[in-house]
Amino acid sequence: MNAICQKEKLLDITPSFKESLNENGMDGLTSERLEILQLNITKKCNLNCKHCHVQSSTRRDEQMSDAVLEKCLEAAFFDPIHVIDITGGAPEMHPRLEWFLTELGKTGKRLIVRSNLVIMAESLYAPFLDIYPENGVELAVSLPYFNREKYEKQRGDKNFEKAIGVLKELNLRGYGKPGSGLILDLVHNPAGAFFAADQKTLEHEYRKNLLKSHDIVFNELFSISNMPVGRFLSYLIDTDNFAGYARDLLNAFNLSAAQNAMCKFTLNVGPNGSIYNCDFNQMLEIPAVVNGKRDIFDIVPEDLEKQDIAIHNHCYGCAAGSGSSCQGATA
Amino acid sequence: MSENYYSKDDLMDFPNIGEYASDQGKKFFEYYESATSAGELSEREKALIALAVATTQHCPYCIDAYTDKCLSIGVTSGEMMEAVHVGASMLAGVTLAHSTQMRKIIKKKEM
């Protein structure tokens, strides 16, 4: 489903997100100082998940060129940036990732990579099991569920065992273990047209079950709602769940979550260097306009201050209930 | 007003059931929150109990709410169905247990 059709469908959600903000006395959303530089370095992925808002797969070939990577590296040194958050697709499938991580390590800033785990079960990408700890990378890894049935409904057959195997390898290297300094956070998202439970409740269930069944430990669990974007939007439409999910989003609207949404602190960069307020906006081709600039090549440190945020009705996803962001609940 | 006695949207009216009797409503919600939150039993275990009760009591709102809750916590479809069978077998057992009264009366009165 292309971005134009997605945006058109999202107009069915009424009142609009902007109208809901207006009802609460807000004209729109404005960012704080942008501290997180989130980079979608590639849209290629070894998986083809049913919920993927990026619509990633092995067939996608968009990825950051050396010129874009080098400009992002320069931006990572900008003073306001505290966190560099690398995502995809599967970041491991970008041929320059190892070099990029080494260079980013020189910034001395917090470095996060979002991995689907399964990719590191492939021999070609297994070296990242060691490259990540060598560069002090924090890992935020997708594990939609702690049991096979639910995991494989979303991620495909035979992938649960691979993900568990990679988690064990990461634990062996110290990831997720107290005192190691190697952070291993898990990311949960629901396998269907419903919201995630309370983050602490889920974290308790994950911790108990992963330890008991697989002797796996981790640091924190982030619970992320599925946005009505990309393949998840197609799924909602195809299964006649769109209206119900939209109603649930509207009923769960939480102003506090909207006020703490990740777009308040994030500058997202797409594979071609275009900038966005979040990666959902990127997939919907809703550009950020930062002092009239739309490209990372034009950004200077002074641009990372208060800016208007581009919104559409998918934003209800980040503002529902306890909120949702790449760092989990926000409210 | 809807033409149907049960409307899915009515579930959203649940927070308003204290209308016209706000003191009792407030106390009910405090009790409800306390009873359904994690305690000695986990939130997951309580959600499964609530689902079993919801099905035995034929409450469409509660079935909707607690199926969603179980899904969101990661309860499997097999676990949910087992909980429903606990409710179903309890109802069957409760029904059959009451045959005791019937059998006692039969034995007392029949020649």
Side-chain angles (χ1 to χ4, degrees):
Chain A
M1 196 173 185
N2 68 38
I4 294 169
C5 293
Q6 291 184 58
K7 284 183 281 192
E8 187 76 19
K9 183 63 185 174
L10 289 169
L11 292 174
D12 289 352
I13 301 177
T14 56
S16 69
F17 186 71
K18 185 171 188 346
E19 286 168 334
S20 288
L21 291 177
N22 293 161
E23 282 171 21
N24 287 279
M26 295 170 67
D27 291 334
L29 291 178
T30 306
S31 74
E32 304 294 332
R33 172 177 272 207
L34 301 175
E35 298 180 339
I36 302 170
L37 183 65
Q38 186 179 60
L39 310 173
N40 283 71
I41 64 171
T42 178
K43 291 191 178 177
K44 187 184 280 292
C45 187
N46 56 318
L47 301 179
N48 190 16
C49 298
K50 288 179 183 171
H51 71 293
C52 183
H53 67 280
V54 182
Q55 305 189 76
S56 287
S57 74
T58 50
R59 293 190 301 276
R60 301 296 296 263
D61 57 8
E62 304 96 315
Q63 65 178 24
M64 283 190 179
S65 64
D66 283 358
V68 175
L69 287 173
E70 280 164 16
K71 179 58 201 179
C72 290
L73 182 58
E74 186 186 324
F77 278 93
F78 291 168
D79 191 43
I81 298 296
H82 290 170
V83 180
I84 302 121
D85 182 340
I86 298 176
T87 186
E92 293 88 347
M93 295 185 87
H94 193 297
R96 300 280 278 157
L97 179 61
E98 183 177 0
W99 165 82
F100 195 43
L101 293 176
T102 306
E103 294 303 310
L104 286 170
K106 296 172 185 170
T107 64
K109 297 181 181 180
R110 197 174 151 205
L111 184 53
I112 301 170
V113 172
R114 298 185 181 276
S115 174
N116 68 34
L117 290 173
V118 177
I119 184 94
M120 286 186 276
E122 295 183 19
S123 56
L124 186 61
Y125 303 103
F128 282 100
L129 289 165
D130 296 308
I131 292 168
Y132 286 146
E134 284 163 12
N135 288 281
V137 171
E138 282 184 33
L139 290 175
V141 299
S142 306
L143 191 75
Y145 281 94
F146 49 77
N147 66 50
R148 180 196 309 275
E149 176 196 330
K150 286 181 177 286
Y151 178 97
E152 293 189 346
K153 273 186 181 174
Q154 190 180 88
R155 303 243 139 179
D157 290 345
K158 299 177 181 170
N159 283 323
F160 183 70
E161 287 305 324
K162 292 178 188 171
I164 291 296
V166 170
L167 280 173
K168 288 181 175 177
E169 289 293 329
L170 290 170
N171 273 179
L172 280 175
R173 286 159 175 80
Y175 268 105
K177 299 235 166 147
S180 70
L182 293 171
I183 302 295
L184 176 65
D185 294 325
L186 306 187
V187 178
H188 161 88
N189 64 286
F194 50 88
F195 298 156
D198 169 72
Q199 186 164 283
K200 285 290 165 204
T201 300
L202 281 167
E203 186 176 292
H204 170 77
E205 293 294 332
Y206 268 72
R207 208 175 287 290
K208 184 178 71 177
N209 284 282
L210 287 174
L211 187 64
K212 182 181 166 193
S213 302
H214 307 288
D215 202 25
I216 287 170
V217 295
F218 62 94
N219 292 97
E220 287 185 76
L221 178 94
F222 299 144
S223 172
I224 298 183
S225 297
N226 289 316
M227 298 294 133
V229 175
R231 281 194 202 120
F232 187 67
L233 177 58
S234 299
Y235 160 80
L236 290 175
I237 296 167
D238 294 346
T239 56
D240 198 25
N241 273 305
F242 179 79
Y245 198 75
R247 181 188 56 229
D248 290 346
L249 286 173
L250 289 168
N251 287 328
F253 176 71
N254 179 352
L255 185 63
S256 169
Q259 289 169 325
N260 288 306
M262 64 180 174
C263 55
K264 304 271 287 189
F265 313 98
T266 303
L267 183 71
N268 174 273
V269 187
N272 66 358
S274 297
I275 57 171
Y276 304 88
N277 295 116
C278 69
D279 76 335
F280 302 109
N281 278 9
Q282 183 191 145
M283 303 318 148
L284 292 170
E285 297 175 6
I286 302 171
V289 182
V290 174
N291 294 333
K293 303 168 185 175
R294 295 187 174 204
D295 198 290
I296 192 67
F297 285 94
D298 303 320
I299 296 295
V300 294
E302 292 70 31
D303 293 324
L304 303 176
E305 301 297 337
K306 288 184 184 299
Q307 302 287 341
D308 289 339
I309 295 170
I311 57 174
H312 199 327
N313 292 340
H314 63 296
C315 299
Y316 276 117
C318 286
S322 299
S324 178
S325 76
C326 290
Q327 301 294 319
T330 56
Chain B
M1 189 174 164
S2 165
E3 284 301 303
N4 302 314
Y5 286 112
Y6 286 125
S7 164
K8 187 171 171 64
D9 287 341
D10 286 347
L11 180 57
M12 293 307 134
D13 187 53
F14 188 58
N16 304 320
I17 57 171
E19 191 178 12
Y20 306 136
S22 59
D23 282 353
Q24 291 92 329
K26 184 169 176 288
K27 284 173 181 159
F28 164 75
F29 278 114
E30 285 169 0
Y31 169 65
Y32 184 83
E33 176 67 25
S34 166
T36 57
S37 301
E40 294 290 322
L41 294 178
S42 68
E43 207 168 323
R44 187 178 203 273
E45 290 162 334
K46 290 189 175 185
L48 278 165
I49 294 170
L51 179 64
V53 173
T55 50
T56 59
Q57 299 305 304
H58 310 160
C59 175
Y61 307 121
C62 304
I63 293 169
D64 187 346
Y66 280 97
T67 303
D68 257 10
K69 174 104 184 218
C70 285
L71 284 170
S72 73
I73 296 177
V75 179
T76 66
S77 48
E79 289 171 319
M80 279 188 258
M81 201 62 210
E82 280 193 25
V84 171
H85 276 294
V86 171
S89 64
M90 283 298 294
L91 282 188
V94 165
T95 305
L96 292 170
H98 280 77
S99 73
T100 300
Q101 274 64 37
M102 174 194 76
R103 287 184 285 109
K104 279 160 77 176
I105 293 167
I106 291 170
K107 284 168 187 164
K108 183 179 179 195
K109 293 190 173 176
E110 205 172 42
M111 286 178 147

